[in-house]
Amino acid sequence: MSSTFSKMPLAALALFVAAGLAVAPSAEAAGNRGGGGGGHHAGGGAKAKPQVNHSRTDKRANNVRSTSVNNVNVNKNVNVNVDNNRGCCNNGWDNDYHPIATAAAVTATVAVTSAIVGSIVNAPPPGCVPVNYGGYIYQQCGSTWYQPQGSQYVVIAPPY
Amino acid sequence: MKQRRRLLGLLALSLAAPGAYAQTAAATTAPAATAANLVDPASVQALKDMGAHLQTLKRFRVTTELSGERVLADGQKLQHGASATMDVARPDRLRATMRSPRSERVLFFDGKTVTLYTPAQRAYSTVELNDTLTGLVEKLENRFGIEVPLSDLFVWGTPAAPLDKIESAMNAGQDFIGDDLCDHYAFRQGQLDWQIWITTGAKPLPRKVVITNRSDEARPQSVSLIAWNLNPGFNDSVFRFVPPKGATKAEIVAPKAK
């Protein structure tokens, strides 16, 4: 029983990776940069606190098939992994990773070609708009999505 | 000599077999009779008492340290940590600061609107939500896929915590959490096995919760340690969100229900 559960998200993930890679290069070129006023980007608060850096994280660490759950009463998809077609799992408050937030080289400038899923930039291009999905903030720039990660941003496949 | 022993062995086996068969047959038909006995009423009552006591707490600060697990494609597990501090005024006020390696987020709720603010992005989303804390945790989850830390705290002791779904309940003895002597209980319901450590005495409070997710054979588990301050110093202004200078509003997108 559980083995059928565990196979489903794997397949979904594989699809997800493939789709994300295919889409990425052209996405940034499309000037369709959300309807956002103000060039708000680049991590705000100048905090002294050290930031996490996941640039050396192994890709396998993001290939997640299921997670723990944090509550007994308000349960969502504990039994079946159908909550979305992207990763797996539920959006626990502790669980702010994204299945494809895996590392590549850090690029100093945001070149058009850098918007490959998994690539990391120091700041998203101007004109991105913040979007709250599942309780986490992403920066959307047209069809390219960035997930904040410490003081940097990882290009991810669209979360929805 | 050898042959005789083998023969004897065979005989014993053939004799034993029918008995073994009968036993397993009995075991598969028995559960109906024993199902009721799996639920120890005193353990369920302990949950009720704790829930009732939780509902009497009007103002408190609760902090939690959580360890969660992710199961990778091949079954290997990774553990991660997170922590949260929550200022609560019943029935309908909450400020929750949630910290994990990748982000810090603050949830504000004043009984009418709920705001989720991400300081590093200076981005916030606000939604009208006229409800109690019990309604808040349920609606945030179901409408927006947002989980409130220790959401069970706002549900235990209300009809939204259905104790009749518990399939197995037992007293697992006593244990110390920090310096607090606790009763340890273990429950099974649906795909979850869960344990709770409740302080002994007339004012039962949960000090630790462990939840094992059985829907994956790797059984990812979360461990939440809970600390209480029942005389907190905050006032009601902590529940109101005032956008800091330069903060931007983020559209909130409801997860695709499927």
Side-chain angles (χ1 to χ4, degrees), chain B residues 153-208:
Chain B
L153 290 184
F154 309 110
V155 182
W156 277 318
T158 76
L163 299 176
D164 58 337
K165 295 260 169 67
I166 292 173
E167 293 148 22
S168 168
M170 68 170 155
N171 186 319
Q174 290 194 321
D175 197 358
F176 283 102
I177 306 299
D179 291 331
D180 296 334
L181 180 62
C182 295
D183 289 315
H184 176 195
Y185 299 97
F187 302 91
R188 312 193 92 170
Q189 88 192 63
Q191 299 274 28
L192 299 181
D193 285 357
W194 59 284
Q195 305 169 65
I196 189 166
W197 285 254
I198 303 173
T199 55
T200 55
K203 295 177 174 174
L205 288 173
R207 286 282 275 116
K208 182 179 175 181

Side-chain angles (χ1 to χ4, degrees), chain B residues 61-209:
Chain B
R61 166 172 285 187
V62 62
T63 54
T64 186
E65 295 283 337
L66 178 140
S67 295
E69 287 179 335
R70 320 203 282 266
V71 183
L72 303 185
D74 60 0
Q76 186 176 11
K77 288 198 285 188
L78 296 180
Q79 193 179 74
H80 60 266
S83 69
T85 302
M86 294 195 287
D87 291 342
V88 182
R90 284 194 197 274
D92 58 4
R93 268 147 234 258
L94 168 71
R95 177 189 182 127
T97 304
M98 303 167 261
R99 299 169 218 92
S100 66
R102 283 191 180 150
S103 73
E104 178 178 314
R105 301 174 301 146
V106 190
L107 192 74
F108 300 80
F109 179 56
D110 64 3
K112 294 181 187 64
T113 59
V114 58
T115 300
L116 186 69
Y117 178 56
T118 305
Q121 306 293 303
R122 279 189 281 171
Y124 66 97
S125 304
T126 298
V127 174
E128 305 287 313
L129 212 157
N130 204 328
D131 214 324
T132 61
L133 290 165
T134 309
L136 173 80
V137 298
E138 191 248 306
K139 284 175 182 164
L140 276 183
E141 180 65 60
N142 293 333
R143 282 193 202 162
F144 302 108
I146 298 173
E147 184 180 66
V148 174
L150 299 178
S151 60
D152 285 327
L153 290 184
F154 309 110
V155 182
W156 277 318
T158 76
L163 299 176
D164 58 337
K165 295 260 169 67
I166 292 173
E167 293 148 22
S168 168
M170 68 170 155
N171 186 319
Q174 290 194 321
D175 197 358
F176 283 102
I177 306 299
D179 291 331
D180 296 334
L181 180 62
C182 295
D183 289 315
H184 176 195
Y185 299 97
F187 302 91
R188 312 193 92 170
Q189 88 192 63
Q191 299 274 28
L192 299 181
D193 285 357
W194 59 284
Q195 305 169 65
I196 189 166
W197 285 254
I198 303 173
T199 55
T200 55
K203 295 177 174 174
L205 288 173
R207 286 282 275 116
K208 182 179 175 181
V209 175

Side-chain angles (χ1 to χ4, degrees), chain A residues 1-3 5-6 10 37 40 42-45 47 49 51-52 54 57 60-85 88 90-98 101 130-140 147-150 153 160, chain B residues 64 66 68-75 78 80 82-84 98-105 116 118-123 125 137-138 141 144-152 155-156 160-162 189 191-192 194 211 213 215-218 220-222 246 248-256 258:
Chain A
M1 187 151 145
S2 52
S3 64
F5 287 142
S6 56
L10 254 182
H40 163 70
K47 277 194 217 159
K49 203 172 136 190
Q51 300 271 18
V52 297
H54 289 291
T57 304
R60 290 170 292 179
N62 291 303
N63 197 358
V64 176
R65 76 179 193 198
S66 72
T67 64
S68 51
V69 296
N70 301 331
N71 65 78
V72 178
N73 294 302
V74 188
N75 277 317
K76 37 224 160 175
N77 303 298
V78 177
N79 299 326
V80 200
N81 290 309
V82 291
D83 50 349
N84 61 43
N85 56 355
C88 64
N90 45 71
N91 247 338
W93 67 269
D94 59 318
N95 199 8
D96 57 343
Y97 74 100
H98 189 282
V131 173
N132 182 337
Y133 185 73
Y136 293 100
I137 296 287
Y138 300 91
Q139 296 286 338
Q140 183 187 9
Q147 174 182 289
Q149 183 173 284
Y153 294 79
Y160 64 88
Chain B
T64 186
L66 178 140
E69 287 179 335
R70 320 203 282 266
V71 183
L72 303 185
D74 60 0
L78 296 180
H80 60 266
S83 69
M98 303 167 261
R99 299 169 218 92
S100 66
R102 283 191 180 150
S103 73
E104 178 178 314
R105 301 174 301 146
L116 186 69
T118 305
Q121 306 293 303
R122 279 189 281 171
S125 304
V137 298
E138 191 248 306
E141 180 65 60
F144 302 108
I146 298 173
E147 184 180 66
V148 174
L150 299 178
S151 60
D152 285 327
V155 182
W156 277 318
Q189 88 192 63
Q191 299 274 28
L192 299 181
W194 59 284
I211 304 174
N213 179 357
S215 68
D216 187 313
E217 63 197 0
Q221 183 165 278
S222 72
T248 41
K249 214 165 178 168
E251 183 199 353
I252 185 161
V253 178
K256 299 252 162 66
K258 219 188 150 194

Side-chain angles (χ1 to χ4, degrees), chain B residues 221-238:
Chain B
Q221 183 165 278
S222 72
V223 179
S224 300
L225 288 167
I226 305 167
W228 295 86
N229 177 355
L230 301 180
N231 295 298
F234 58 77
N235 61 41
D236 276 0
S237 65
V238 302

